[in-house]
Amino acid sequence: MEPIIKIEHLCKEFKLKEMDVHALNDVSLDIYKGDIYGIIGMSGAGKSTLVRCLNFLERPTSGNVVVDGRDLAQLSGKELREERKSIGMIFQHFNLLMQRSVVDNVCFPLEIAGMKRSEARKKAMEYLEIVGLTEKAKAYPVQLSGGQKQRVAIARVLASDPKILLCDEATSALDPQTTKSILQLLKEINRKFGITIVVITHEMAVVQEICSHVAIIDQGNLVEHGKVEDIFSAPQSREAKRLIYQGFEKVAEMKGKRCVRIVFAENSSFEPVIGNMVLTFKTPVNILYANTRDLDGVAKGEMILQLPEDAETGEKMIAYLKNAKLSVEEMEDYESVHRIGGAQGGREEGDEAC
Amino acid sequence: MLTAREVSMIIEGIGGTLWMVLMSVLFGYILGLPMGILLTVTGKDGIRPNAAVYKVFDVISNIFRSIPFLILLLLVQPLTRLILGKSYGATATIVPLTIAAAPYIARMVESSLKEVDHGVIEAAQSMGASNWTIIFKVLLTEARTSLIVNATIATNTILGYSAMAGACGGGGLGDIAVRYGYHRWQPDILLITVVLLVVLAQIFQMTGMFISRLVDRRRVE
C-alpha cells in the first residue's frame, strides 16, 4: 500500500542574521491511510515546522512531501490551494475568526469552495452536530470555552471534507478533562470518516491516548519511529526515554537498588497483577511511580517498581511479570536519563545567578 | 449679537467644513485603503512579501506625511487649479486635504491590519484561501473595529487640517475664524467657530466609537 503522506529527506533551514537554523535535518517518514500518527518532541525540536511542511505553509529547503501521490513541490499556487482543501489543520490557539459567529466560521471553507450561502449554512449545521455544538451556532467565539472553540475548529476542518487532518498542539492550551474529550472526538473522526490524523504534541500522554504510530523528533532529527506500543514499552533512543520517563521526575526519591519499569498494554484493568504478585511471593514491592488508567476495560500505562534486595526473588518477580504479559524493562539507565534532567536544572540555576 | 448675515455665514461654514472633511475622508480612503492593504500584504510578515513594492510605498507615505500641511497646501495649488480651475474655497481644499490624508490613512490601515492574529491568516491559508480571500474575508473583516476607530481619528485629523486651510482661503469654519475672528477681531465669531469645531470633533468621535462597538463581536454580551 502506498503511504498517504510520504516525507522524503526533508530539510528546512531558516536563515537568520546571526546564523542558519537547521529546523529539520533529513527527515523521512511514511504515514498510511487511517493512521493516527503522533509526532512528539520537546519544544523547539522542529515538530511544528515539520507539520507546516506537510501542507506547505512552510516550504521545505530540500526534500519532498508527497501527499496521496502528488508531490507538493511540483504544484502551482492554485493547485496547492486546491490540495490544501483536502488537508485540514487545527491549531493550539484555535485560530477562529473572532468577528464571525460559530456557524459562519464553519461556513468559511465552504465559501472558499464557492458554495451558496444557504447551502453552506445547512452543511455547517450538520458538522456542528457532529462536534456537539448545535446550540452554540449563533454564538461568537469569544463566548466559548477553549474546548468549545477547538470543537468549532474541528467542525470547520470537517466541512472541507479532508483526507488528512493535521493537529498542531491542538490540546496544549486545554485542561486535562477537555483534552480527553477533544482526543476522543479526534479518535471518533478517524474511525467514522477514515481521516488520517497527524498529531503534533510534546505530551506523551496524548500519544498514548490516541496514536497508533509515533515519531520522535529531537533537534530537527527523526530519532525513532514506529508503533506506539513498541516504542512505549521498549524505547531505544535517549530522546525517546527522556520523553517517556518525563513524568518520573515527579518522584522525589528514586534511589531503588533494583528498579523495573513495567508497561501495561493489554491486561484487563480488572486483574490485580501487582497485588497477586505480592501475595504469591509473600514479599512486598515498592511502587515508586505509577501512571495507569482504564481505557475501555484495558489497563494502560506504566509503573516503576522497586524489587526486593534478594536477587533470586527479584528474578522470579520479573519472570512473573513477563508471564502476566507485561513488558518489563530493567532500569539501569534510569539514572543516566535522570542526570540529563539534573544537568539542565543546574544550568538554569547558573543562568539565574548571572 | 450676531447679525442674520453672520448667522447664515456660520451655517454655511458648517456645511463647508462638513463637505470638505467628508469628501476628503472619502477620497483619502479611496487612495489610502488600497495603499494600506498593499503595505500590509507586501510587508516583511505579509502574505506576499515584496521588499521593492513595500519600500516604494513606504517612502511615498513618509515623504507626504513629513511635509507640514500648510506647506503642502501651497505646493499643490497648481494641481488644484488644474483639477478644479481655482485654488480657494471649500471644494478646492479637498485636493490638498486628500493628498495629506491618503498616506496617513494608509499607515492607519496598515497598523489595523497588522493587528490581525497571524494564526487566523495561517488557518485561512491551510483551508486553501487565496490572498484576495484573505484580504477581504480575513484581514478587513477581522480588523473592522480597529479600522473604524482609526477612521474616526483620521476624520478628526482632517477636520483639524481643514481649519488650518482657513489661513489660505480654504473655506468652512476655519476660514471664518481666520477672517472674521482674527483679522477683523470679532471675538464672538472666533469663539463660536471654535466651539462648533469642537462639537463637530465630538460628534465624529462619538459616532465612530458607536459604530466600532456595534460591529465588534469580540465582546462578551
Side-chain angles (χ1 to χ4, degrees), chain A residues 18-280:
Chain A
E18 316 83 63
M19 54 173 199
D20 291 353
V21 178
H22 294 267
L24 292 173
N25 292 318
D26 194 25
V27 173
S28 296
L29 206 60
D30 287 344
I31 297 173
Y32 289 89
K33 188 168 167 31
D35 282 354
I36 302 186
Y37 213 112
I39 295 175
I40 187 169
M42 305 283 182
S43 56
K47 52 196 189 309
S48 278
T49 307
L50 176 59
V51 78
R52 275 170 177 68
C53 285
L54 299 187
N55 58 4
F56 264 46
L57 280 180
E58 206 73 83
R59 263 182 191 269
T61 312
S62 65
N64 298 319
V65 177
V66 182
V67 175
D68 216 7
R70 287 155 72 92
D71 184 349
L72 295 190
Q74 306 298 324
L75 301 181
S76 70
K78 199 172 171 217
E79 287 170 325
L80 179 62
R81 286 200 297 276
E82 211 46 52
E83 189 63 31
R84 276 181 184 159
K85 288 175 190 168
S86 64
I87 312 172
M89 189 168 186
I90 58 173
F91 304 84
Q92 179 172 7
H93 296 114
F94 326 120
N95 297 347
L96 299 178
L97 295 154
M98 299 305 280
Q99 301 283 19
R100 278 180 176 233
S101 66
V102 164
V103 65
D104 285 343
N105 260 286
V106 182
C107 283
F108 189 52
L110 301 171
E111 278 172 33
I112 294 174
M115 191 185 278
K116 261 196 287 174
R117 197 173 166 74
S118 56
E119 206 180 323
R121 285 220 163 197
K122 218 177 97 195
K123 219 172 158 204
M125 288 307 291
E126 287 169 26
Y127 288 108
L128 281 176
E129 198 175 335
I130 294 171
V131 301
L133 273 181
T134 325
E135 77 280 12
K136 293 278 181 193
K138 291 209 170 78
Y140 284 86
V142 74
Q143 298 158 318
L144 304 180
S145 70
Q148 289 171 328
K149 282 183 201 165
Q150 198 60 288
R151 280 171 190 273
V152 177
I154 291 170
R156 183 171 72 171
V157 147
L158 290 178
S160 46
D161 199 13
K163 294 177 289 203
I164 297 164
L165 171 56
L166 309 175
C167 309
D168 185 15
E169 297 274 11
T171 58
S172 299
L174 304 175
D175 62 65
Q177 208 63 42
T178 317
T179 295
K180 219 168 180 170
S181 76
I182 292 293
L183 293 178
Q184 218 49 49
L185 178 63
L186 290 176
K187 217 175 188 172
E188 212 180 290
I189 285 165
N190 168 261
R191 249 195 320 243
K192 208 146 91 194
F193 302 100
I195 297 174
T196 308
I197 301 182
V198 179
V199 177
I200 299 292
T201 181
H202 63 274
E203 289 170 296
M204 202 62 197
V206 170
V207 171
Q208 251 182 292
E209 186 96 26
I210 61 165
C211 294
S212 55
H213 294 74
V214 63
I216 294 159
I217 302 279
D218 184 64
Q219 295 181 339
N221 297 302
L222 176 67
V223 290
E224 204 171 336
H225 64 105
K227 286 194 162 180
V228 172
E229 54 277 24
D230 296 344
I231 290 192
F232 197 69
S233 49
Q236 301 298 316
S237 63
R238 226 162 79 136
E239 288 76 18
K241 285 177 186 170
R242 254 173 86 178
L243 282 163
I244 289 167
Y245 299 161
Q246 73 192 177
F248 303 171
E249 280 161 34
K250 291 173 196 148
V251 184
E253 294 287 304
M254 286 293 295
K255 298 180 196 144
K257 291 222 171 55
R258 187 172 193 190
C259 294
V260 291
R261 172 170 170 268
I262 56 175
V263 177
F264 294 84
E266 46 186 320
N267 299 68
S268 163
S269 38
F270 303 108
E271 181 192 342
V273 184
I274 308 296
N276 286 346
M277 181 177 78
V278 171
L279 289 174
T280 310

Side-chain angles (χ1 to χ4, degrees), chain B residues 14-176:
Chain B
I14 297 174
T17 294
L18 282 175
W19 167 249
M20 259 191 305
V21 171
L22 296 178
M23 289 313 277
S24 306
V25 170
L26 179 70
F27 287 121
Y29 267 90
I30 289 175
L31 292 174
L33 185 65
M35 194 166 151
I37 293 171
L38 208 64
L39 282 167
T40 315
V41 169
T42 59
K44 199 156 56 67
D45 304 315
I47 48 176
R48 192 156 176 198
N50 186 325
V53 174
Y54 183 82
K55 200 75 213 164
V56 167
F57 284 93
D58 186 48
V59 168
I60 291 177
S61 133
N62 286 344
I63 289 174
F64 279 95
R65 283 185 315 135
S66 56
I67 303 174
F69 177 65
L70 218 54
I71 310 290
L72 187 77
L73 190 77
L74 299 173
L75 278 178
V76 300
Q77 267 186 2
L79 178 71
T80 312
R81 225 172 279 134
L82 192 74
I83 297 173
L84 294 166
K86 61 174 189 175
S87 64
Y88 54 89
T91 306
T93 311
I94 294 172
V95 175
L97 276 180
T98 302
I99 292 172
Y104 179 73
I105 288 169
R107 283 292 178 208
M108 294 280 230
V109 169
E110 186 193 10
S111 94
S112 291
L113 298 186
K114 275 193 171 161
E115 281 170 31
V116 175
D117 181 6
H118 188 75
V120 180
I121 297 167
E122 203 175 37
Q125 285 173 328
S126 80
M127 286 179 241
S130 65
N131 286 345
W132 287 112
T133 309
I134 291 174
I135 290 169
F136 288 107
K137 295 204 165 185
V138 180
L139 290 177
L140 291 174
T141 31
E142 285 293 293
R144 63 191 184 197
T145 306
S146 168
L147 284 168
I148 292 167
V149 170
N150 280 344
T152 310
I153 298 172
T155 307
N156 274 337
T157 307
I158 294 171
L159 177 69
Y161 283 173
S162 82
M164 225 190 279
C168 306
L173 288 172
D175 189 31
I176 295 169

